Amino acid sequence: MKQQGVHPEDAEGTSDAASRPDGPDGADGPSEAREEEYEEVHADEVEGDEPLLPARVHRPSDLMRLLVGVLAVVVLLGIAAFAHGTTSGLEQDINKGTGQAPDLLIKIAGLASSIAILLVPVAFAIERLIKRDGLRIADGVLAAVLAHGVTLATDLWVAKAAPDSIQEALTQPSPGDIHALTDPVHGYLAPVIAYMTAVGMSRRPRWRAVLWIVLLLDAFSMLVTGYTTPFSIILTVLIGWTVAYGTLYAVGSPNVRPTGRTLMAGLRHVGFHPVSAAREEAPDTSETGDRGRRYFVTLEDGPPLDVTVVDREQQAQGFFYRAWRNLTLRGFATRSSLQSLRQALEQEALLAYAAIAAGANAPKLIATSELGPDAVILVYEHTGGRTLDSLADEEITDELLRDTWHQVRALQSRRIAHRRLVGDAILVDRSGTVILTDLRVGEIAAGDLLLRMDISQLLVTLGLRVGAERAVASAVSVLGPDAVADCLPMLQPIALSRSTRATLRKLARERAQREREAVLEASRQAKQARLEAGHEAEPISEKAEKKAVRAQARAEKRAIDEALEGAREEDLLTQIRHEVLRIRPQAPVEPARLERVRPRTLMSVIAGAIGAYFLLTQLTHIEFGPLIANAEWGWVAAAVLFSALSYVAAAMSLLGFVPERVPFPRTVAAQVAGSFVKIVAPAAVGGVALNTRFLQRSGVRPGLAVASVGASQLFGLGCHILMLLSFGYLTGTEKTPSLSPSRTVIAGLLTVAVLVLVVTSVPFLRKFVVTRVRSLFAGVVPRMLDVLQRPQKLVTGIGGMLLLTFCFVMCLDASIRAFGTESSSISIASVAVVFLAGNALGSAAPTPGGVGAVEATLTVGLIAVGLPKEVAAPAVLLFRLLTLWLPVLPGWLAFNHLNRKGAL
């Protein structure tokens, strides 16, 4: 393993804030004196060249505090806006209680707070400057300036634009001038709070006590004299606190991570006599950032040591990933997102002792210590050896695999879950003994779910190196077939480590690339053979020539299908399942439901909430009673008819690109079933998957089914763009005598041209687009050739697409005419442009059926073309009701019917 150390000049060149164990925020105590004593005697004990640490770091904890502060401000303003009675009663009670305070006490509190609010920040600044921590003071001054700006903006908003309830909660008549109001936010107190927070006073016990006394005295004096309200005090504190952490996260906090020189001092403090320390190079993975820095330490009188240094900055790495896993996974996610250094130290020490007690080979922990309040060290006996990732393939023997499984079995016998059995956590020493390292994220008293996840993770880890067959055989020989079979429900990407999932995705991309290359090569060879045959063939009749062309097209399709089948490879997880099923055919294979919330579901909820909010804001000023009473029910019936006719048109647009014979009534039923699928999947995904599955069940080969749906989608996209440009052109010229296109169309064309130029000029983007387009046309173009040889099919497909768009446009137009006579001034071309734009956005939106995105786009579009809001909003609701929500029940019935018939 390559090792690096800390260069003496680098260690000495760091600021005192960076090299001192407690750093600028550390508590005053003996740690500084101890380190100074160590440094006087051992100043240059770190060898090698340690990478320079960044001067500043962006802490996730600061971002979390910023978000919490913003949320608290929003909640406070919400309470002030909607709980007017409660705020008024609270102010009266406080005014009544403070009015009984003695005048002498009020004067003393006001004088003391006025003096302290100025002296305390200055005193702390002097103390920090003496300790050469001027950067922290600069951060505090910047936070104070920003907080002052925020207070001015808040005061202006409350005075000019805020609701009356918020203004009454934050202000009251000024005692000196009954015609004036007090300030909603204190312009001097919020900057002071921001300054004190940014410079770290709240983390110092003595200064924190002084800070609280000053704040309480100032709040008391201001409340008693009638110059503020309770909500104003709270808002001032929240603004100062929030701005401070926002500033710290934006500019970064001074890096207080301990250097190698500090490590040497810490080792001497716990009784060791180090000679040198060399930094171990961390593996290049995204999961190792929070594992701590590791050093190889040689001693004056004894074997070397392996030392791990864990500090607050490294512990914070991966915070958002762990928080997301804890939110989305069920009860077995990663360790706590917010874990103190003491908890991390205790967790790793406990797992180390528990693993050795269980009989597993694990690094022996011999000492722990704190390096001030910002770091801890864990001292292990040196193990040596190499990781599984660094071993050559021929060095990974069956005996080594079995030894690895023996160590895992030892852990599982005592209900210990490792939680990260990846290649760099499995160490092989010089004698060939397997040692399990990186136990920090493990768990004791683990449940069956976690233990099975460990087995599935190790199966994949070993399978990536030696293949599925050897990995499963070694596991079965040690754990038994039943234990291995029970882990199959856990064999899914979500249950694997982050680095393993990244490796599997990389392998999947490589497999897909090989399949694309095989298809392209088969297509190229077939075309070459066709050209050679055309040169050698003698002149024949026109009928025979057409027959020969059809035969050549079929031969090319067959060659492409055979190449695709030959190049198709199973992924590693599927290979492992097949190996286990050979041993235990009755093993459970249904994946366990591990996700509490799917990302797609969360995005759908958020987008749906945004869409619902938009619609509700549009509908609050509309009186639906008179509107419905005056609705034209004939136009409503026409909208229903056009909505029903759209399913026939959708069936035509699909069958037009399927040369094989597929029953038309059943295809219409499949399109009706698609209305149910749209509710549970994004519009651009659910329909494609259902149609592909339907064609396969109807006897179309899988490759041809995918090609048919792809051809339909590709042709539909072209028609959609062409119609959007055409109707946009008509919309721009319908009110002018000339035929000049509208500025919107010109701007759209220029935007598309700029995007094309950007894509073609950037090599990475050009390669990406060309690869995807070539792979698409490799399967779609032969399918299009089949369709072109059948004009009837081509007419059916094109006619179905045009009819589908016509039905939706007429349905929207009828919905508009049902609610107002103003719709007579809106042309069909304008309605078509609005629909096509809304449909495009709905297909791109990640929400099922484009919920939220389509409604917002259609409503805004109709208002933009001149339709009153009172008509546009209910017309869009009727249109979406007929095309999305009402067909759900018939779609569910059709979906179940086709399932029973084996058509889906």
Side-chain angles (χ1 to χ4, degrees):
M1 179 181 296
K2 184 179 179 181
Q3 297 176 342
Q4 293 181 338
V6 182
H7 196 279
E9 295 179 1
D10 294 339
E12 292 179 330
T14 54
S15 66
D16 288 352
S19 61
R20 186 176 296 115
D22 60 336
D25 295 333
D28 296 330
S31 59
E32 290 187 16
R34 284 200 304 270
E35 184 183 349
E36 292 174 359
E37 178 184 350
Y38 295 147
E39 291 176 355
E40 289 177 2
V41 181
H42 306 280
D44 299 319
E45 296 293 342
V46 182
E47 65 179 15
D49 184 18
E50 184 176 34
L52 291 176
L53 299 177
R56 288 181 173 269
V57 291
H58 302 276
R59 297 177 178 175
S61 57
D62 293 337
L63 178 59
M64 291 301 299
R65 292 186 177 98
L66 168 64
L67 297 178
V68 170
V70 172
L71 179 62
V73 170
V74 172
V75 171
L76 179 68
L77 295 179
I79 293 174
F82 298 105
H84 178 64
T86 302
T87 58
S88 300
L90 179 63
E91 289 182 11
Q92 292 175 3
D93 293 340
I94 292 177
N95 292 333
K96 182 178 179 181
T98 56
Q100 300 176 359
D103 292 338
L104 180 61
L105 178 61
I106 296 174
K107 293 179 179 179
I108 293 176
L111 179 62
S113 63
S114 300
I115 297 175
I117 208 73
L118 297 176
L119 291 183
V120 171
V122 175
F124 188 79
I126 295 174
E127 190 261 354
R128 286 289 90 193
L129 290 175
I130 292 175
K131 293 189 176 182
R132 291 178 290 178
D133 192 16
L135 288 177
R136 185 73 74 176
I137 302 302
D139 295 341
V141 173
L142 177 60
V145 172
L146 294 178
H148 184 65
V150 173
T151 58
L152 293 178
T154 304
D155 289 345
L156 183 62
W157 173 73
V158 172
K160 301 295 184 181
D164 295 338
S165 57
I166 292 181
Q167 190 178 81
E168 293 176 5
L170 297 177
T171 61
Q172 62 182 12
S174 177
D177 185 1
I178 59 174
H179 299 292
L181 296 177
T182 58
D183 293 332
V185 182
H186 300 289
Y188 67 89
L189 186 58
V192 170
I193 294 174
Y195 169 84
M196 292 178 174
T197 306
V199 298
M201 289 183 64
S202 60
R203 290 190 288 270
R204 296 297 191 86
R206 288 178 295 180
W207 288 103
R208 181 170 60 242
V210 175
L211 173 63
W212 278 107
I213 291 173
V214 170
L215 291 179
L216 291 175
L217 281 176
D218 185 77
F220 175 76
S221 61
M222 295 294 289
L223 285 172
V224 169
T225 54
Y227 281 98
T228 190
T229 66
F231 278 85
S232 177
I233 290 289
I234 299 174
L235 181 61
T236 300
V237 174
L238 288 177
I239 288 178
W241 190 74
T242 303
V243 171
Y245 284 112
T247 304
L248 290 178
Y249 184 76
V251 304
S253 301
N255 196 342
V256 295
R257 294 170 66 175
T259 62
R261 189 169 135 197
T262 309
L263 168 65
M264 304 294 285
L267 289 174
R268 282 184 164 77
H269 179 59
V270 293
F272 296 101
H273 302 283
V275 175
S276 64
R279 172 79 178 273
E280 294 183 357
E281 187 175 283
D284 187 17
T285 64
S286 58
E287 290 187 89
T288 57
D290 62 342
R291 291 168 52 194
R293 289 177 290 158
R294 298 182 178 182
Y295 292 85
F296 173 76
V297 179
T298 57
L299 303 178
E300 294 178 0
D301 52 353
L305 305 173
D306 290 330
V307 181
T308 300
V309 179
V310 181
D311 56 63
R312 295 189 187 277
E313 305 310 327
Q314 284 180 312
Q315 190 190 25
Q317 293 185 22
F319 166 80
F320 295 107
Y321 172 75
R322 294 194 299 270
W324 173 254
R325 297 275 287 183
N326 289 333
L327 172 67
T328 57
L329 299 185
R330 295 176 180 270
F332 58 86
T334 54
R335 61 183 169 84
S336 174
S337 302
L338 295 173
Q339 193 179 39
S340 67
L341 282 174
R342 171 64 63 177
Q343 290 173 328
L345 178 67
E346 294 173 349
Q347 172 83 359
E348 187 163 352
L350 176 62
L351 266 295
Y353 293 138
I356 294 176
N361 295 330
K364 184 178 179 181
L365 182 66
I366 56 178
T368 59
S369 178
E370 292 185 350
L371 294 181
D374 296 305
V376 296
I377 58 172
L378 298 101
V379 184
Y380 294 91
E381 288 184 353
H382 178 62
T383 54
R386 294 178 295 166
T387 64
L388 183 68
D389 287 341
S390 63
L391 294 179
D393 292 342
E394 59 272 11
E395 295 181 274
I396 305 178
T397 62
D398 291 340
E399 182 180 356
L400 179 63
L401 297 178
R402 288 192 294 269
D403 191 10
T404 305
W405 286 110
H406 278 296
Q407 305 310 316
V408 174
R409 187 178 67 175
L411 291 180
Q412 300 214 343
S413 66
R414 300 297 177 85
R415 313 294 296 181
I416 300 174
H418 187 284
R419 302 299 304 275
R420 194 177 174 276
L421 288 169
V422 294
D424 62 346
I426 301 172
L427 198 68
V428 182
D429 65 11
R430 296 178 181 85
S431 63
T433 302
V434 174
I435 301 172
L436 299 181
T437 64
D438 198 17
L439 290 161
R440 182 181 177 192
V441 297
E443 187 169 326
I444 62 172
D448 291 338
L449 203 63
L450 288 178
L451 300 181
R452 292 172 184 172
M453 287 175 64
D454 267 2
I455 297 176
S456 62
Q457 172 64 60
L458 187 55
L459 279 173
V460 177
T461 299
L462 298 180
L464 289 171
R465 295 303 313 274
V466 301
E469 184 177 358
R470 288 182 62 191
V472 173
S474 61
V476 171
S477 65
V478 177
L479 303 180
D482 293 333
V484 177
D486 290 340
C487 80
L488 285 187
M490 304 295 110
L491 202 62
Q492 48 183 305
I494 190 66
L496 303 176
S497 69
R498 195 176 186 179
S499 58
T500 304
R501 295 200 304 272
T503 303
L504 292 177
R505 286 194 297 268
K506 179 182 177 182
L507 294 177
R509 289 193 296 267
E510 292 175 354
R511 286 196 308 272
Q513 179 64 26
R514 287 194 293 270
E515 292 178 4
R516 285 193 293 267
E517 291 176 354
V519 170
L520 293 173
E521 179 62 22
S523 178
R524 187 189 64 79
Q525 292 180 358
K527 291 178 181 178
Q528 184 66 26
R530 186 171 58 197
L531 290 175
E532 293 177 356
H535 289 308
E536 298 175 359
E538 298 180 356
I540 56 177
S541 63
E542 183 178 354
K543 182 177 181 181
E545 184 178 358
K546 291 182 179 179
K547 185 176 180 181
V549 170
R550 287 195 295 268
Q552 290 171 356
R554 287 193 296 269
E556 183 177 351
K557 275 196 310 177
R558 186 164 54 251
I560 291 175
D561 292 339
E562 291 175 355
L564 186 59
E565 292 294 333
R568 185 170 288 117
E569 306 173 26
E570 290 184 337
D571 63 279
L572 180 61
L573 300 186
T574 303
Q575 295 177 27
I576 293 175
R577 291 190 190 96
H578 290 169
E579 291 295 331
V580 176
L581 291 174
R582 288 193 183 98
I583 302 171
R584 278 289 185 270
Q586 70 276 16
V589 294
E590 185 69 23
R593 177 68 185 275
L594 304 180
E595 290 179 295
R596 180 187 293 115
V597 179
R598 296 180 183 271
R600 182 182 299 169
T601 303
L602 187 61
M603 293 178 63
S604 300
V605 171
I606 295 174
I610 295 174
Y613 172 79
F614 176 83
L615 288 177
L616 290 176
T617 56
Q618 295 293 324
L619 299 177
T620 51
H621 304 291
I622 300 175
E623 297 181 2
F624 282 96
L627 194 65
I628 295 175
N630 298 326
E632 297 285 343
W633 292 102
W635 285 112
V636 174
V640 173
L641 179 62
F642 285 120
S643 175
L645 186 60
S646 65
Y647 296 101
V648 178
M652 293 172 57
S653 65
L654 175 63
L655 293 183
F657 297 91
V658 182
E660 292 81 5
R661 186 175 181 81
V662 178
F664 185 78
R666 184 167 289 187
T667 307
V668 175
Q671 305 314 302
V672 176
S675 61
F676 167 69
V677 176
K678 285 194 301 186
I679 298 300
V680 296
V685 177
V688 172
L690 183 135
N691 285 329
T692 303
R693 180 68 173 173
F694 169 72
L695 293 179
Q696 292 177 6
R697 287 292 189 174
S698 299
V700 182
R701 295 177 60 185
L704 300 179
V706 173
S708 294
V709 176
S712 175
Q713 293 290 317
L714 184 62
F715 202 92
L717 176 62
C719 288
H720 192 97
I721 295 175
L722 183 61
M723 285 188 291
L724 182 60
L725 294 176
S726 301
F727 284 117
Y729 185 92
L730 293 176
T731 302
T733 60
E734 61 184 4
K735 295 183 180 181
T736 61
S738 63
L739 294 178
S740 59
S742 65
R743 294 182 178 179
T744 304
V745 175
I746 295 176
L749 292 176
L750 290 176
T751 302
V752 172
V754 170
L755 290 177
V756 171
L757 290 175
V758 170
V759 171
T760 54
S761 61
V762 179
F764 170 75
L765 294 176
R766 183 172 63 250
K767 181 180 178 181
F768 178 82
V769 172
V770 169
T771 302
R772 297 301 185 274
V773 171
R774 287 178 61 190
S775 61
L776 175 64
F777 274 86
V780 171
V781 170
R783 200 61 167 165
M784 291 294 296
L785 293 176
D786 289 344
V787 174
L788 291 175
Q789 296 173 13
R790 302 185 181 185
Q792 184 180 358
K793 284 286 187 180
L794 186 61
V795 171
T796 301
I798 297 176
M801 289 178 181
L802 296 177
L803 179 60
L804 182 63
T805 302
F806 173 79
C807 289
F808 280 127
V809 171
M810 294 307 299
C811 181
L812 179 59
D813 183 73
S815 301
I816 294 172
R817 296 177 184 275
F819 287 104
T821 57
E822 297 89 347
S823 60
S824 58
S825 61
I826 306 299
S827 66
I828 295 293
S830 300
V831 175
V833 169
V834 172
F835 164 74
L836 291 171
N839 188 53
L841 184 59
S843 299
T847 58
V851 173
V854 174
E855 288 83 355
T857 305
L858 293 180
T859 304
V860 172
L862 291 176
I863 295 174
V865 297
L867 196 65
K869 178 174 63 176
E870 292 76 11
V871 177
V876 170
L877 287 181
L878 175 61
F879 173 75
R880 293 291 280 172
L881 182 68
L882 297 178
T883 58
L884 179 66
W885 298 111
L886 286 183
V888 170
L889 180 58
W892 178 72
L893 296 175
F895 187 84
N896 289 331
H897 172 74
L898 293 176
N899 266 330
R900 287 195 301 269
K901 296 294 185 179
L904 286 180

